[in-house]
Amino acid sequence: GFNLCTANLVKHFSNSKDNNWLYSSNILNSLLNVVVINMICNRRYPYAKISVASKLEDKDCKTIIDSVKSTFVYKIGAVIVNNTDNILISIIVSTAAVGLYSNYYMVVSAIQMFVAIITTALISGIGSLSAEENKKRMNEIFNMMLLFYHFIAGFGAISFFFLFQDL
């Protein structure tokens, strides 16, 4: 109701014939949602308003700023490394190749997530096993996990070989 009302208001007062009213209504709707939620929170939880009586020391402020800068640079670097492949494939090969690559990448990512979930579930068991210091049992579990990962790799390679021809 609220979103539709905002969209209709923006469309009614917008003079353009294109769909810019839709973007404007989304922005206006987001701003109104923030204002309304802020008013509700201030009424329900007045004790949550924190007044800061003192400022941070320069040393603490510098440490926080350095940490934020490092995190920002790390995040930008991760985006550059992980998300430029589609752009490069599009420039060098074609947009159709980007579509094929995205389909392949989606399947491989789903399998990676499946293996990551299993590995994460096994980590606590491995940690408690290493605390017991039973070397023979640790070696057996290591060989069992190694066999499991080799089985996943072999099964995945054979499956990819036969299934990826038609994707």
Side-chain angles (χ1 to χ4, degrees):
F2 185 70
N3 295 341
L4 186 59
C5 179
T6 307
N8 285 333
L9 280 173
V10 171
K11 184 176 182 181
H12 181 349
F13 291 113
S14 176
N15 292 331
S16 63
K17 302 251 188 251
D18 54 6
N19 286 335
N20 285 339
W21 65 270
L22 185 62
Y23 302 121
S24 302
S25 68
N26 283 337
I27 292 170
L28 182 64
N29 183 39
S30 296
L31 290 173
L32 287 175
N33 279 335
V34 168
V35 169
V36 169
I37 289 172
N38 189 20
M39 289 172 31
I40 291 171
C41 288
N42 286 338
R43 284 189 196 139
R44 286 189 183 174
Y45 311 105
Y47 55 86
K49 291 183 183 179
I50 299 172
S51 61
V52 178
S54 63
K55 290 188 173 186
L56 286 175
E57 294 180 14
D58 289 337
K59 178 183 167 186
D60 294 334
C61 192
K62 182 170 175 37
T63 305
I64 292 171
I65 289 174
D66 288 343
S67 296
V68 169
K69 282 181 185 177
S70 299
T71 304
F72 179 74
V73 169
Y74 172 76
K75 293 285 187 181
I76 294 295
V79 167
I80 289 171
V81 167
N82 294 327
N83 297 331
T84 54
D85 49 355
N86 287 338
I87 296 169
L88 291 175
I89 292 171
S90 175
I91 291 171
I92 295 171
V93 183
S94 70
T95 308
V98 172
L100 285 173
Y101 169 75
S102 296
N103 290 341
Y104 289 128
Y105 187 74
M106 181 182 64
V107 173
V108 171
S109 294
I111 292 171
Q112 283 178 337
M113 288 175 63
F114 171 72
V115 172
I117 288 170
I118 291 173
T119 303
T120 304
L122 294 174
I123 286 175
S124 62
I126 294 169
S128 64
L129 182 66
S130 66
E132 292 175 7
E133 296 185 14
N134 186 350
K135 299 287 184 188
K136 185 176 179 183
R137 181 73 179 140
M138 286 174 53
N139 195 21
E140 289 174 3
I141 296 296
F142 173 76
N143 288 331
M144 197 179 334
M145 289 183 61
L146 191 62
L147 177 67
F148 170 73
Y149 287 126
H150 279 98
F151 174 75
I152 293 290
F155 181 76
I158 292 169
S159 299
F160 290 160
F161 178 74
F162 286 112
L163 296 176
F164 276 0
Q165 295 176 8
D166 298 326
L167 202 70

